[in-house]
Amino acid sequence: MQLNRRQMLKLMGATTAISIGQPALFARAATSTEIELEAAPLMHKLHHAPEAQTSTLWGYNGHVAGPTLRFKQGEKITIHFTNNLPEPTSIHWHGLRIANKMDGVSGLTQDPVQPGETFTYEFVAPDAGTYWYHAHHKSWEQVARGLYGGLIIDPADGDILPEAQDHLVILDDWRLDETGRFDEASLGAPMDWSHDGRLGNWLTVNGESLPRFSLCEGMPHLLRLINASNSRIMEIDPDRFGAKIIGFDGQALPNAPTELGYKPLLLGPAQRVDLLVEPKESFALEELSREPFPFCFFDIAEACESPAPFVPPKPNALPLPAKTDRFQLDVRMTGGAMGQLGDIFYQGERMERGDFQRTKQFWAFNNVANLAETPLFSVNKGETVELNVINETAFMHAMHVHGHHFLVEDRDGGGVEFNPLWRDTFLIGTQQSTRIAFVADNPGKWLFHCHMLEHAASGMNAWFEVRA
Ligand code: C2O
Ligand code: CU
């Protein structure tokens, strides 16, 4: 049975939040450049109602969300990873422009890490900003079970705000059963894969149900929002609490803080937004796609130590795409329920009627479902790539490019809301076209996929090659 949120709230008999205090995230933050990370099963209660059952989830270092990893731009980072899950896994550092062999994509950039085995990730983070890490092996299952955490890169030349004014807010959407437990039975449901992915009925922040944060009245606070859900697009209205925009996907806007100027703010799976708020009163952060549903609450603290002023972050030095002399490619997105299933090739064969259900491949880029032998495109290092992505499906998608940030240049000929708009994941509406461009400066084999993880698993997953 699929409950909607209101039914779930009724069932649990509690719509008021329990104060669990400031999530212990920063207490768990990494302080060294060399850390240990372990993936393992754990027990955790996702719903705060007393009668709700505890779920068996998977997490890093015993927590959902995992420990917040916090490093400095330009620093050499070493992560000793141990897999204590019952199945293989790997870790992807989402949004970091790092060396290909450290990108953590099992089957493309590394072999999966087997149960009981270890792998050492070593990289230098070139850009400051808000990123995240998550499993990249059967991501549709492993991320759904809780294998993710926040990853903050502080600017080399000093923090934007001290930790007491800097808050990580990782949003997740869980599907709970009638007892409030993680709904394991519906993992991998073909209905989700061919429609809008695995959507849940319960929201958490940093793995907690309706947590409360405390803020100082009138003083600047940075809220780093990350959408860690498998497939839900979150709708947020920063105007409701007077917040301004600092940046998207880790990249600061040049004139931050700035007004959003449109609404609502859509935060697709894997996308981030940094908000600056100087609160006058307590407020709730709410998801607004249906009836408002609170993620968490921000209370005004009784006493505050003299807070630091906000220092606008400098935009990262990203390579600017060339205006001419580009490698250009149209990418047609097709398939899915209510879409055209005709002419989709999977593993070199044209799919016939029964093949879709059998292979669970429902989506395609330029008629190819999932990773083919040959790349979607191949370019030389330093070339500017222009992708004109055309969504011919009946669903929205959240397209992610690995190893590079790109400029969103245009949507349907109407331009874009910010200029420049750098992202690593862009949302594309149904029947919409979006032009992105980036300098392919990072050699290796990289993924280009929908971050609605069921869509990626069922066809919206391609790779491209940057030749050294
Ligand atoms: Cu967030 Cu392919 O990754
Ligand atoms: Cu999608």
Side-chain angles (χ1 to χ4, degrees):
M1 179 180 61
Q2 179 80 21
L3 297 173
N4 68 32
R5 292 172 185 175
R6 175 177 283 156
Q7 286 166 327
M8 180 61 80
L9 283 166
K10 248 200 217 135
L11 180 81
M12 296 302 171
T15 51
T16 46
I18 297 161
S19 176
I20 58 155
Q22 176 85 9
L25 275 169
F26 288 109
R28 290 191 259 126
T31 49
S32 143
T33 57
E34 183 159 359
I35 61 152
E36 307 267 341
L37 212 54
E38 182 214 23
L42 58 93
M43 300 298 288
H44 184 62
K45 203 159 166 283
L46 287 166
H47 197 290
H48 60 260
E51 63 272 32
Q53 299 285 304
T54 298
S55 304
T56 304
L57 303 175
W58 292 352
Y60 295 111
N61 293 7
H63 293 274
V64 169
T68 302
L69 307 184
R70 189 155 198 160
F71 306 110
K72 263 209 184 320
Q73 186 179 15
E75 205 166 60
K76 181 159 171 263
I77 297 156
T78 306
I79 296 162
H80 301 285
F81 172 61
T82 305
N83 178 14
N84 284 326
L85 299 170
E87 62 178 42
T89 191
S90 62
I91 309 180
H92 171 54
W93 317 94
H94 184 115
L96 294 190
R97 300 184 300 130
I98 56 178
N100 187 258
K101 63 177 193 293
M102 292 293 135
D103 199 43
V105 177
S106 80
L108 188 72
T109 68
Q110 70 170 93
D111 291 329
V113 185
Q114 297 299 326
E117 302 212 321
T118 61
F119 188 90
T120 299
Y121 290 97
E122 266 180 324
F123 50 82
V124 173
D127 304 318
T130 305
Y131 304 94
W132 65 304
Y133 62 99
H134 62 80
H136 215 302
H137 177 86
K138 286 172 77 189
S139 317
W140 57 273
E141 173 183 2
Q142 297 195 351
V143 175
R145 289 184 186 270
L147 286 169
Y148 63 79
L151 175 54
I152 297 175
I153 307 296
D154 289 313
D157 56 358
D159 295 353
I160 304 168
L161 282 168
E163 282 192 6
Q165 291 164 259
D166 186 336
H167 310 269
L168 185 70
V169 184
I170 311 182
L171 313 173
D172 199 0
D173 170 46
W174 300 86
R175 190 179 292 177
L176 306 183
D177 66 16
E178 298 86 336
T179 68
R181 204 186 271 148
F182 176 71
D183 185 348
E184 222 176 65
S186 66
L187 276 170
M191 188 68 173
D192 293 336
W193 289 32
S194 60
H195 288 72
D196 41 12
R198 180 181 175 87
L199 297 178
N201 48 24
W202 188 246
L203 302 176
T204 59
V205 169
N206 305 337
E208 304 294 339
S209 171
L210 301 169
R212 309 193 82 95
F213 294 80
S214 50
L215 307 181
C216 302
E217 188 182 347
M219 296 302 163
H221 289 269
L222 185 59
L223 310 183
R224 302 175 186 261
L225 273 51
I226 301 174
N227 184 348
S229 64
N230 274 41
S231 285
R232 183 174 295 283
I233 299 168
M234 311 288 189
E235 283 189 23
I236 287 152
D237 182 2
D239 286 348
R240 288 196 173 202
F241 42 94
K244 297 210 165 111
I245 313 296
I246 303 298
F248 295 104
D249 294 358
Q251 306 302 338
L253 295 169
N255 51 351
T258 184
E259 303 275 344
L260 183 62
Y262 62 94
K263 66 175 67 172
L265 172 66
L266 297 181
L267 199 64
Q271 291 191 311
R272 286 89 66 209
V273 63
D274 292 336
L275 301 176
L276 185 77
V277 62
E278 297 179 352
K280 297 197 183 58
E281 56 195 4
S282 301
F283 63 93
L285 177 69
E286 293 170 309
E287 206 284 317
L288 301 166
S289 61
R290 290 182 267 174
E291 72 242 45
F293 189 103
F295 284 113
C296 60
F297 301 94
F298 294 89
D299 299 322
I300 299 295
E302 312 234 305
C304 284
E305 311 199 340
S306 55
F310 169 71
V311 182
K314 282 198 214 80
N316 293 308
L318 295 168
L320 264 186
K323 291 261 187 287
T324 55
D325 233 347
R326 296 174 156 198
F327 171 86
Q328 294 173 307
L329 183 71
D330 285 355
V331 180
R332 280 176 45 254
M333 309 172 72
T334 56
M338 299 170 279
Q340 292 288 70
L341 283 181
D343 266 337
I344 294 186
F345 290 79
Y346 176 52
Q347 295 178 339
E349 310 265 323
R350 186 178 183 283
M351 300 221 284
E352 309 289 343
R353 285 200 149 269
D355 295 342
F356 295 99
Q357 291 297 331
R358 184 180 55 78
T359 61
K360 281 177 77 179
Q361 296 300 308
F362 301 110
W363 311 86
F365 298 145
N366 293 346
N367 298 333
V368 176
N370 230 315
L371 301 180
E373 298 254 312
T374 50
L376 181 64
F377 60 89
S378 175
V379 291
N380 290 321
K381 183 181 171 199
E383 267 189 90
T384 288
V385 173
E386 176 187 302
L387 300 180
N388 189 35
V389 185
I390 308 140
N391 178 10
E392 297 179 1
T393 77
F395 296 89
M396 280 186 90
H397 301 282
M399 298 303 304
H400 173 44
V401 177
H402 276 233
H404 303 78
H405 272 250
F406 49 81
L407 274 181
V408 184
E409 294 189 325
D410 184 66
R411 284 193 199 92
D412 282 341
V416 286
E417 59 283 4
F418 291 103
N419 192 7
L421 179 59
W422 289 102
R423 300 218 71 139
D424 61 43
T425 306
F426 69 97
L427 278 172
I428 184 164
T430 172
Q431 305 305 318
Q432 193 175 56
S433 70
T434 301
R435 191 176 79 230
I436 66 166
F438 61 96
V439 180
D441 62 349
N442 202 349
K445 294 177 175 179
W446 301 103
L447 284 187
F448 175 55
H449 67 92
C450 180
H451 221 289
M452 291 169 169
L453 299 174
E454 289 72 27
H455 291 174
S458 59
M460 288 201 160
N461 193 28
W463 65 284
F464 64 96
E465 182 180 33
V466 181
R467 293 184 295 255

